[in-house]
Amino acid sequence: MEQSCFTWVMFFKQLPYMILYIIQSLLCPPVYLIWYLLLQPIKLWNPDYFWLIEGQIYDSFLGIVGSWSDLSGHVVYESGADVSVIKNDVSLVIVNHQTPTDIPLLMRAFHGTDARKLPSIFKLGVNETSVHQAHRLKENLTMNVGYRNHGWVILFPEGGLLWKRRDGSQRFAKKMGLPILQNVTYPRLGALQTAIETLLDPNVYCPQNDSNSENQISKKSLKWIVDVTIGYKTSMNVFQYLCGCFGTQKATLHYRVFPIEKMVSFGSIYEKPKVRENWLFSLFQEKEAYLKHFAEKGFFPQEAGKSEKTVIVKPINNLKVYGIQLLVIFTIYIMFHLF
């Protein structure tokens, strides 16, 4: 009874913020589109400046979504490898997908990175035989990484939420004689293969009519695979996440980094499908063990021989968020009076 009362008190306390979230969700996409269209003359004049400005706008809206966790009272931690040292390299980020709150949580963690190195998020688990999906993913990667110069690609290789995919994954594990997973599901392989092939292709970083294309090719290519395991102190749906029904909650992002050069040259997950399958399945079996440890201890285990720290992700600057909201209101006001 006390828990129920506490939940309702938190709900009404967070109600104004929830109304704000809804308004932001409705207004931010059209405002982004408006500015995207208004900036087209700059794109014709200098594409690099256009994508730099577009990146700043994108990062601003990323900050709005990321600020929702702060307003709801949640605390975000990071542990494991220090990924700040590779933020300027092209990286493929592999994430487990437990709940829809994973995406705003990632936006919260990655907000404020270099606007030219912002992440592109792909919630895909492409089947080996799905030619259409693989082609669409390749086109998106070419546009976002090659043309827009976004450096990190976030991929959910499980292809769906944990609760939707778990039963099918466990049936697959029994059929193939693999360990049964409870906290993650066995990933689909096609998305990873397509992403690695595309990001290792130098032509992706060579847009047509670009006089500096040769320099781009020499400097850019996939360098790292970053494994991110998300752990929640209490599993939450979107409603619970936004309204803060259970009070302050802890979410931790645990990072591991694998150099692509070593992986391609030894055993080649890029060239040999069976090696790729074994490596990816092993990675998610390790995620399962990490999440079991997190559920029992409240933190992720450290890798042997490595000094790792758990740090709190700094709250987003409220003045910046208010400034973005004023820009949204001003844009809507001007467009309303013009049209």
Side-chain angles (χ1 to χ4, degrees):
M1 180 66 179
E2 291 181 1
Q3 177 65 35
S4 177
C5 293
F6 175 74
T7 298
W8 280 107
V9 168
M10 293 300 298
F11 170 76
F12 285 109
K13 182 180 178 181
Q14 291 294 122
L15 186 59
Y17 293 126
M18 294 181 66
I19 295 173
L20 177 63
Y21 302 152
I22 294 171
I23 294 173
Q24 290 172 339
S25 299
L26 293 174
L27 293 184
C28 286
V31 169
Y32 171 84
L33 180 60
I34 288 169
W35 280 103
Y36 186 90
L37 295 174
L38 290 175
L39 293 171
Q40 288 303 304
I42 297 179
K43 185 179 181 181
L44 296 174
W45 169 60
N46 191 316
D48 284 342
Y49 285 150
F50 170 82
W51 291 119
L52 180 62
I53 297 171
E54 183 271 345
Q56 294 288 352
I57 296 173
Y58 177 83
D59 182 53
S60 297
F61 292 138
L62 204 70
I64 285 182
V65 177
S67 69
W68 295 352
S69 63
D70 294 337
L71 293 174
S72 299
H74 306 309
V75 182
V76 182
Y77 294 84
E78 293 178 317
S79 67
D82 180 8
V83 295
S84 64
V85 298
I86 62 168
K87 68 178 183 179
N88 293 325
D89 296 332
V90 178
S91 302
L92 178 61
V93 184
I94 298 175
V95 190
N96 61 306
H97 201 14
Q98 299 183 57
T99 118
T101 61
D102 295 339
I103 293 177
L105 187 67
L106 289 167
M107 290 183 176
R108 173 69 184 81
F110 293 135
H111 169 68
T113 56
D114 186 344
R116 292 179 65 84
K117 304 295 177 186
L118 292 167
S120 299
I121 300 177
F122 297 98
K123 185 180 176 181
L124 288 172
V126 183
N127 291 316
E128 295 288 355
T129 56
S130 179
V131 178
H132 173 71
Q133 280 191 322
H135 181 68
R136 186 180 64 177
L137 177 58
K138 185 173 182 177
E139 286 184 340
N140 286 334
L141 287 169
T142 301
M143 174 58 69
N144 285 279
V145 180
Y147 286 80
R148 291 185 170 186
N149 204 21
H150 291 182
W152 281 28
V153 175
I154 300 175
L155 191 69
F156 295 96
E158 292 165 293
L161 295 170
L162 175 63
W163 68 271
K164 290 183 177 181
R165 293 265 298 115
R166 181 157 43 200
D167 289 344
S169 173
Q170 291 178 351
R171 288 194 299 270
F172 171 79
K174 290 178 182 178
K175 179 181 177 180
M176 303 301 294
L178 297 169
I180 303 297
L181 306 180
Q182 297 290 342
N183 299 294
V184 294
T185 65
Y186 281 103
R188 298 173 178 175
L189 304 175
L192 179 72
Q193 173 69 6
T194 301
I196 292 177
E197 287 180 351
T198 304
L199 297 175
L200 284 175
D201 182 1
N203 292 321
V204 170
Y205 311 98
C206 181
Q208 293 181 355
N209 302 322
D210 187 349
S211 59
N212 296 320
S213 59
E214 291 185 2
N215 291 332
Q216 275 192 310
I217 291 175
S218 63
K219 294 179 180 179
K220 296 190 64 175
S221 183
L222 178 62
K223 296 289 194 304
W224 311 95
I225 291 182
V226 181
D227 172 51
V228 180
T229 304
I230 301 178
Y232 294 94
K233 180 181 178 182
T234 302
S235 181
M236 298 176 287
N237 59 36
V238 174
F239 176 78
Q240 293 166 341
Y241 176 83
L242 294 179
C243 74
C245 290
F246 302 113
T248 298
Q249 294 298 322
K250 170 185 174 182
T252 304
L253 283 73
H254 185 75
Y255 303 113
R256 291 186 294 168
V257 178
F258 305 93
I260 192 65
E261 289 182 358
K262 181 178 180 181
M263 299 174 72
V264 169
S265 40
F266 295 103
S268 187
I269 65 166
Y270 168 54
E271 294 175 352
K272 298 180 180 179
K274 192 61 180 177
V275 174
R276 183 180 72 246
E277 176 183 296
N278 291 339
W279 179 83
L280 193 58
F281 284 178
S282 175
L283 184 72
F284 273 77
Q285 290 165 7
E286 291 169 3
K287 280 178 175 287
E288 173 78 8
Y290 273 58
L291 286 167
K292 283 183 178 179
H293 184 282
F294 183 85
E296 294 172 0
K297 308 288 187 180
F299 57 89
F300 286 104
Q302 290 188 1
E303 292 190 44
K306 293 186 179 180
S307 177
E308 300 175 345
K309 295 181 179 180
T310 299
V311 297
I312 297 178
V313 178
K314 293 181 180 179
I316 295 175
N317 190 319
N318 286 332
L319 290 177
K320 183 176 182 180
V321 175
Y322 296 149
I324 299 166
Q325 293 173 350
L326 288 175
L327 174 64
V328 170
I329 295 170
F330 173 76
T331 303
I332 295 295
Y333 175 82
I334 294 298
M335 299 308 295
F336 179 79
H337 283 273
L338 286 177
F339 300 101

